[in-house]
Amino acid sequence: MNVMSNDLKTLIPDTQKFLRQEMKQFIGGEWVASSNSDSFSVIDPSSAEVLAQVPKGNAEDIDAAVQAANTAFNDPLWRDMPPANREKLMHRFADLIEGHAEELGQLEALDVGMPSFIGQHVEVGNVLDTLRYMAGWPTKINGRTMNIGEPMPEKRFFAYTCREPVGVVGAIVPWNVPLMIAMWKIAPALATGCTIVIKPSEVTPLATLRLAELAVDAGIPAGVINVVNGLGHEAGQALVEHPLVNKISFTGSAVTGKAINRTATETLKNVTLELGGKSPVILLDDANLDKAVQGISMGIFGNTGQVCVAGSRLYIQRGIFDKAVDRLTKEARSLKVGPGLHPETKIGPLVSEAHRDKVMGLIEAGVKAGGEVVTGGSQIDGPGYYVEPTVLINPPQSSQVVQEEIFGPVITAIPFDDIDEAAALANDTTYGLSSYVWSKDIQRVHQLVPKIRAGQVYVNSSPFPHPAMPMGGYRQSGIGRDLGEEAINHYTEHKSVVIGIN
Ligand code: TXE
């Protein structure tokens, strides 16, 4: 075993057993062979070795899954289930996931490359928090009675609104935190009485398949959660086109999000898009530098920077620029890079060779544009797809490395003089997903927060998606919101009922 590769002998028996089974589609509550014999390989990014062969589903498989989801949606067993029973099922599902947290964490470590400790405790932790938070909603989704007066002479009315599930949801999920993002779409679907067909990323499908199996073990009726593996332009496209799918919830790149939005227009689907970001971090000169450096480091190097809310553009008030860069450099150098299953690993490999090459290309473009690498900047030789945590100072604000989402362990640092300049630099991007402010001065914080055009502002904190807080972006970071009450709204239709009573 290469020291930079996962040692599969350290996997727990449950994970080994799951990896040995033949991967199929999960449709109507059972494993189903794909309509064709094509498959793709799932690769361990720490070793470039094949972990599993997964069927390459097509429009026929998507149709079978959508039909199963539509049947389950119209089945009184699910449709008329009392909200408290739905809540109970969701808690049972969460308890079962909790019992399998180590297995799921290991699958994420193998598939994505993240440290298995993070997979088990941070990612699966968020999966559980999301499911349990959303389990509180079924009993609280209500309409209103409306006083519409007497709009016609001598005719009286009783009027109310009610909320109904939007129907069959198509969820298209990326590879960076696959299980967590799948649950951001599954949990509101369960809470509102929708059914769902998930198309995981072809790069990281394993843990999502295991999750669907656990849902059935928890008693969630067959057909409520279905998983079809396949490529984006085949299975993904077929899901977006399918006339029985009422809503698409997508997380991924802005380019694909725009294409999906165009396709979904044909059948006028309800669409939620959570796209990329290029999130600014504003470090003011009064901040607690120890805490700020740790938080900034976690916010860009966590999950090897493959996080949509990664704080990738650091703006430092000029007086503390050198000191802050020096501290961040030391912090970056202290992070242990290695395979996900190794207990000391803090930073895993990037998810694929193609993605590693994209990240390296952007670092090189940043240097060509005038940026200076103060630490990192290189890939690490070996079979895995490793890139050193990288700090790049003073690239031009207009350069590709500052404007384009890198999705890797790379942070740029640029000085500013006052908060108006900081806000202008922060907003100088096509994105608007997340943002970060580090300062102890509450007045300056409150002056800055309203100036920032982004769906989230974290003050004196690295990012953590809380299930009660809506998650999504301004501008080209997306449409709509995952999580929170906003997600419940996106998964329900509002019906107005007006009854003449005389
Ligand atoms: O994303 P895609 P990719 C960003 C990040 C990354 C870049 C490219 O910058 O480097 O996107 O990653 C499915 N119809 N983010 O190429 O293409 C695809 O199969 C329907 C940010 O992996 O967006 C996968 O399941 N579906 C992001 C999913 O879309 C299609 C997370 C995401 O793939 C499709 C991931 C189509 N035509 C990448 N084409 C975030 N917001 O967190 C592809 N797919």
Side-chain angles (χ1 to χ4, degrees):
M1 186 204 60
N2 184 305
V3 73
M4 294 294 277
S5 304
N6 281 318
D7 180 359
L8 301 193
K9 289 197 290 297
T10 62
L11 293 171
I12 60 170
D14 279 352
T15 316
Q16 297 195 13
K17 184 172 160 225
F18 181 72
L19 286 177
R20 276 197 302 269
Q21 90 182 40
E22 188 190 349
M23 302 295 161
K24 295 184 177 178
Q25 313 293 15
F26 196 82
I27 299 176
E30 52 192 36
W31 295 111
V32 174
S34 206
S35 61
N36 66 86
S37 55
D38 291 352
S39 67
F40 56 86
S41 305
V42 179
I43 305 287
D44 174 350
S46 78
S47 63
E49 305 235 321
V50 175
L51 286 168
Q53 284 298 126
V54 172
K56 202 195 273 183
N58 57 20
E60 217 176 301
D61 300 293
I62 286 289
D63 183 55
V66 172
Q67 297 292 350
N70 194 47
T71 302
F73 178 67
N74 289 305
D75 186 337
L77 173 72
W78 183 241
R79 191 162 196 143
D80 302 336
M81 183 178 281
N85 292 12
R86 196 174 296 142
E87 173 178 343
K88 220 188 288 173
L89 266 184
M90 291 173 74
H91 280 296
R92 209 184 295 157
F93 186 19
D95 292 344
L96 205 56
I97 293 171
E98 194 163 31
H100 289 268
E102 190 175 1
E103 178 190 355
L104 292 166
Q106 289 194 338
L107 287 174
E108 290 293 73
L110 289 175
D111 218 353
V112 183
M114 67 176 67
S116 58
F117 177 86
I118 300 286
Q120 179 178 346
H121 296 285
V122 179
E123 188 179 6
V124 177
N126 184 278
V127 163
L128 294 171
D129 289 349
T130 300
L131 192 49
R132 289 178 174 140
Y133 166 81
M134 286 292 171
W137 273 106
T139 53
K140 296 164 196 76
I141 302 172
N142 298 308
R144 288 173 289 160
T145 54
M146 316 294 274
N147 179 357
I148 62 169
E150 291 183 13
M152 287 173 217
E154 294 174 18
K155 186 116 177 99
R156 294 180 50 221
F157 296 93
F158 177 65
Y160 65 95
T161 64
C162 56
R163 307 266 297 279
E164 296 182 349
V166 73
V168 176
V169 176
I172 298 176
V173 176
W175 45 260
N176 55 332
V177 255
L179 205 58
M180 181 181 91
I181 294 175
M183 186 52 76
W184 289 4
K185 303 177 189 315
I186 293 169
L190 296 177
T192 53
C194 294
T195 57
I196 192 163
V197 177
I198 303 160
K199 208 297 283 170
S201 165
E202 53 274 36
V203 187
T204 58
L206 298 180
T208 309
L209 284 168
R210 185 70 182 111
L211 190 73
E213 203 176 33
L214 291 175
V216 170
D217 293 348
I220 292 178
V224 170
I225 300 175
N226 308 275
V227 181
V228 177
N229 304 287
L231 305 184
H233 68 277
E234 291 170 0
Q237 176 83 11
L239 188 58
V240 182
E241 284 173 356
H242 202 293
L244 288 178
V245 173
N246 305 102
K247 172 180 176 65
I248 290 291
S249 181
F250 170 75
T251 302
S253 66
V255 172
T256 302
K258 288 177 198 177
I260 284 176
N261 204 23
R262 280 192 292 272
T263 307
T265 303
E266 274 307 307
T267 42
L268 277 185
K269 290 179 172 50
N270 165 329
V271 174
T272 305
L273 303 173
E274 201 267 273
L275 309 177
K278 190 71 187 171
S279 301
V281 184
I282 299 174
L283 176 57
L284 296 176
D285 55 9
D286 66 90
N288 177 325
L289 205 52
D290 288 337
K291 288 188 180 165
V293 164
Q294 276 204 350
I296 293 166
S297 166
M298 201 183 297
I300 182 62
F301 300 130
N303 206 26
T304 324
Q306 300 165 119
V307 177
C308 54
V309 293
S312 50
R313 292 183 293 137
L314 175 58
Y315 298 106
I316 306 174
Q317 199 152 20
R318 197 174 299 277
I320 61 162
F321 186 82
D322 291 342
K323 190 160 69 168
V325 167
D326 189 47
R327 298 278 278 276
L328 184 60
T329 300
K330 287 200 175 87
E331 183 70 23
R333 286 183 184 149
S334 75
L335 298 169
K336 174 121 182 73
V337 178
L341 294 184
H342 195 287
E344 281 167 25
T345 294
K346 292 280 183 292
I347 308 290
L350 290 164
V351 77
S352 67
E353 186 173 14
H355 189 54
R356 192 262 323 268
D357 293 347
K358 174 189 150 179
V359 171
M360 286 308 302
L362 281 162
I363 295 173
E364 280 153 25
V367 172
K368 265 200 200 122
E372 180 196 342
V373 171
V374 288
T375 188
S378 302
Q379 65 186 61
I380 300 172
D381 287 338
Y385 313 127
Y386 294 97
V387 169
E388 296 170 336
T390 300
V391 179
L392 189 81
I393 59 170
N394 293 319
Q397 169 68 17
S398 61
S399 62
Q400 206 185 0
V401 75
V402 179
Q403 294 296 327
E404 203 170 297
E405 184 176 50
I406 301 176
F407 230 56
V410 183
I411 190 165
T412 58
I414 292 176
F416 69 87
D417 289 304
D418 59 44
I419 63 168
D420 282 333
E421 187 190 0
L425 288 166
N427 290 334
D428 179 25
T429 163
T430 56
Y431 292 111
L433 190 55
S434 195
S435 59
Y436 306 87
V437 176
W438 291 89
S439 170
K440 287 187 294 210
D441 182 337
I442 193 146
Q443 285 183 330
R444 293 206 293 172
V445 167
H446 278 292
Q447 286 162 20
L448 257 175
V449 170
K451 290 181 200 284
I452 297 173
R453 304 270 299 149
Q456 283 116 118
V457 186
Y458 290 93
V459 178
N460 297 327
S461 173
S462 46
F464 67 99
H466 190 281
M469 301 295 284
M471 162 76 200
Y474 287 22
R475 300 191 283 178
Q476 295 195 29
S477 287
I479 296 175
R481 295 290 182 269
D482 281 327
L483 302 178
E485 186 174 359
E486 284 68 14
I488 297 294
N489 286 331
H490 289 307
Y491 282 71
T492 49
E493 297 280 14
H494 295 247
K495 183 178 271 179
S496 294
V497 184
V498 180
I499 302 172
I501 55 174
N502 63 344

